Amino acid sequence: MLRFLALAVVAVVAAQPVRSQTPRPQTLTFVSSVDASEQPYSLYLPKSLEAGKKYPVVISLHSEESNHRLNLLQVLALSSRAVEGARFSLLSARAVPDLDFIVASPLARGGMGYTGIAETDVYDLLADLERRFPVDQDRVYLTGISMGGAGALRLALTRPDVWAAVAPVCPAPSPEIAALALNALNLPVRLFHGEQDPVVPVASSRLWQRWLLDVGVAADYIEYPAVRHNAWDFAYKDGGVFSWFGQFRRDRYPQHVRFVTDSYRYASAYWVRVDALTPGVEASIDARQAGAGEVQVETRNLDGFTLSPDRPVSLLLIDGALFTVRPGSLSFHKQAGRWVAGLAAPSAKRRGLEGPIAAAVSERHIYVYGTGGDPSPAELDFRRRTAETAAHWSSPRESLQLSFPVKPDIAVTDEELDSDSLILFGTRETNSLIARFVDRLPLALSAGAADYGLLFVAALGKHYALVSSGLPWWTDFEDAGRPVNPYAPPIFAELATLGDYVIFKGSLAQVAAEGRFDREWKVPADAAAKIAATGTVSVR
């Protein structure tokens, strides 16, 4: 109760508006929705915030091995090589431009690539700005440098209706998001890159512009001859990016919406909402207002959707089938392979509980080692150190603003079971929490299995259980040859390569079975036989 009251006080204090008599960078904090920690961000305010006026916002994402303070100076064109290579203070910034924008840069835990917890931080920051200041929600823009440029592009494509425009600078986005280029139909994009960039090859931005243009997105691209990995010095010079942003407002009800997703986490865009899909399978919807009262919809791998246009709909064409629409009834779902009116029935996999494995460590979570089986002191110490290894996301190269609890199974409280995902190490014989919930877990590693590892995620109440039995997943991971996000912490990057479950022998270089559970968190029939054939894992 005291902890709740303390957080409430922090939230009230944080909600008080800040005023600026002179435009000057400053540092504030917001309260994370993940772990209730206070997370810093750098902020620029216009000289004055006029009563009754709403202001455009630019969210800027920093590069690898950088931070929120330096990034704010970069986007304001106040940085220099001397500043970037030395300790500095925002208060020492001189000749601050007088912009009619609110500009904010989150630390987002450091070098996490704006995925998982760091992605949530970006949206927590935006929510904090909207609580504190008069934000024009139709003029919210996104930019970023290198790692931040890649993050900006991914955040913009997964939730395109949040942003009015996006300007990635020398980004290195993961190729796996290329299919999301369709989502930018109503989102202005401008890419910047240096021709001689030795860190992120210029071919990356050239290719991305081509992908965007090929699917009908009006994407601009500016390439700087003879410029290396400092394209931001030119992209942000003289406030040019702010002038470009200022041309655009978000269109909440565009005539044509295209949306691709494989997750309930990203389930809506503009006036289209996805209600039923198979998590992990790419689904799409293309909705077009074709005329007075008519909407045409084409879908792929989709089983339910809802439309919320800003005008009445009387005729609806869905995948070639014509429907006469009753007022207020714009939800449809598939029944026996055919579209019918009505909201799709929820499945066990749903928003917040759909997997994959990385989702369990993208929210508040605890690492739990077992004390069962009468272990020797040396064995108990080994179990504890294994859990601590998984909980330690920082590296000598990057110290992240993260701290995860590590506990023995007997010390986990009922309150924590209700509020946290659990990362459980061991088997039912060694970890009392695995034994407690064994009937709700779809897989189990045999107690006598040698040289095998099992890792799977399961729904456990309102949160996840991620069970690691036998060899930990990072055992000789480098031998597996799995492509990882170079900007994410190694532990998270490794988990992000996995589906809902994986069984391996020796290391992930020798996978016996892996995949996704079905919509009801069950092992698919075709996978069950393959798993059983290992002789080491039972299917429940």
Side-chain angles (χ1 to χ4, degrees), residues 113-116 119 150 153-155 157-158 172-183 204 207-208 211 260-263 266 280-283 300 356 358 482-486 488 492-499 516:
Y114 304 98
T115 57
E119 176 180 353
L153 190 58
R154 194 181 71 83
L155 267 62
L157 294 179
T158 49
S174 171
E176 68 187 23
I177 69 168
L180 303 183
L182 287 163
N183 295 353
S204 171
L207 182 60
W208 262 96
W211 282 339
V260 178
T261 184
D262 66 355
S263 167
Y266 312 110
V281 176
E282 186 181 285
R300 181 173 58 87
R482 290 174 176 251
V484 298
N485 181 345
F492 182 84
E494 292 165 6
L495 293 175
T497 68
L498 304 172
R516 300 292 296 261

Side-chain angles (χ1 to χ4, degrees), residues 169-519:
V169 181
C170 49
S174 171
E176 68 187 23
I177 69 168
L180 303 183
L182 287 163
N183 295 353
L185 178 63
N186 301 293
L187 180 69
V189 179
R190 173 170 280 185
L191 298 155
F192 302 87
H193 219 113
E195 178 203 13
Q196 296 184 14
D197 191 329
V199 178
V200 180
V202 68
S204 171
S205 288
R206 293 173 180 170
L207 182 60
W208 262 96
Q209 189 204 23
R210 189 178 310 123
W211 282 339
L212 291 164
L213 292 175
D214 285 349
V215 295
V217 175
D220 292 341
Y221 173 49
I222 297 177
E223 185 173 302
Y224 301 107
V227 170
R228 294 169 66 81
H229 193 58
N230 61 316
W232 57 88
D233 288 336
F234 303 88
Y236 297 150
K237 185 178 180 181
D238 299 325
V241 74
F242 295 97
S243 298
W244 184 75
F245 280 147
Q247 304 174 72
F248 306 109
R249 298 181 65 89
R250 174 181 62 169
D251 183 355
R252 299 190 184 199
Y253 296 97
Q255 182 179 11
H256 186 190
V257 176
R258 296 184 310 208
F259 189 57
V260 178
T261 184
D262 66 355
S263 167
Y264 288 114
R265 179 181 176 89
Y266 312 110
S268 64
Y270 307 100
W271 46 276
V272 173
R273 187 185 75 215
V274 169
D275 296 327
L277 52 66
T278 299
V281 176
E282 186 181 285
S284 67
I285 181 169
D286 186 313
R288 186 193 304 265
Q289 299 184 52
E294 181 180 345
V295 172
Q296 297 175 1
V297 174
E298 295 179 1
T299 71
R300 181 173 58 87
N301 297 331
L302 193 64
D303 294 310
F305 66 87
T306 295
L307 305 180
S308 303
D310 61 340
R311 64 194 69 178
V313 177
S314 54
L315 290 177
L316 183 63
L317 192 68
I318 309 176
D319 294 335
L322 186 62
F323 294 81
T324 301
V325 181
R326 298 177 181 177
S329 175
L330 284 173
S331 293
F332 290 82
H333 67 279
K334 276 191 174 175
Q335 183 173 297
R338 302 182 65 179
W339 288 106
V340 297
L343 189 64
S347 61
K349 277 195 171 184
R350 59 190 188 276
R351 182 177 173 86
L353 281 177
E354 60 178 311
I357 282 169
V361 295
S362 296
E363 61 179 32
R364 186 184 181 98
H365 61 278
I366 302 175
Y367 294 82
V368 183
Y369 61 94
T371 59
D374 194 24
S376 66
E379 170 63 20
L380 190 61
D381 182 62
F382 173 77
R383 296 179 187 179
R384 176 185 57 77
R385 285 187 287 108
T386 298
E388 288 175 342
T389 297
H392 187 69
W393 288 23
S394 293
S395 67
R397 177 181 175 183
E398 183 76 36
S399 179
L400 304 175
Q401 194 162 319
L402 283 168
S403 180
F404 301 119
V406 177
K407 290 191 169 188
D409 50 1
I410 56 176
V412 178
T413 67
D414 288 341
E415 180 184 0
E416 289 169 331
L417 290 176
D418 185 62
S419 63
D420 294 50
S421 286
L422 304 176
I423 316 304
L424 303 174
F425 290 88
T427 64
R428 64 183 299 179
E429 291 80 14
T430 63
N431 191 310
S432 62
L433 290 181
I434 296 178
R436 177 175 173 179
F437 299 115
V438 68
D439 291 338
R440 298 159 65 179
L441 302 176
L443 300 172
L445 185 69
S446 302
D451 201 28
Y452 272 89
L454 167 65
L455 182 70
F456 67 91
V457 67
L460 198 64
K462 295 181 292 185
H463 300 281
Y464 292 106
L466 178 59
V467 178
S468 177
S469 301
L471 296 175
W473 68 85
W474 60 84
T475 304
D476 296 328
F477 181 86
E478 60 276 8
D479 296 335
R482 290 174 176 251
V484 298
N485 181 345
Y487 299 125
I491 289 289
F492 182 84
E494 292 165 6
L495 293 175
T497 68
L498 304 172
D500 290 342
Y501 67 88
V502 62
I503 304 159
F504 59 90
K505 184 176 183 180
S507 76
L508 282 174
Q510 301 182 70
V511 170
E514 67 176 312
R516 300 292 296 261
F517 298 125
D518 67 18
R519 295 185 186 186

Side-chain angles (χ1 to χ4, degrees), residues 80-164:
S80 66
R81 284 287 172 248
V83 168
E84 293 177 15
R87 296 176 63 87
F88 60 90
S89 168
L90 290 177
L91 296 177
S92 66
R94 294 290 185 268
V96 178
D98 188 3
L99 299 170
D100 208 29
F101 286 78
I102 297 170
V103 187
S105 175
L107 176 62
R109 316 289 169 143
M112 286 189 61
Y114 304 98
T115 57
I117 292 172
E119 176 180 353
T120 303
D121 280 353
V122 176
Y123 289 108
D124 281 351
L125 163 62
L126 180 55
D128 190 68
L129 293 175
E130 291 172 344
R131 285 191 295 267
R132 292 177 185 257
F133 307 113
V135 169
D136 185 342
Q137 294 183 334
D138 290 327
R139 292 189 292 163
V140 178
Y141 311 99
L142 186 60
T143 187
I145 294 171
S146 194
M147 177 186 78
L153 190 58
R154 194 181 71 83
L155 267 62
L157 294 179
T158 49
R159 296 183 64 182
D161 55 349
V162 171
W163 315 99

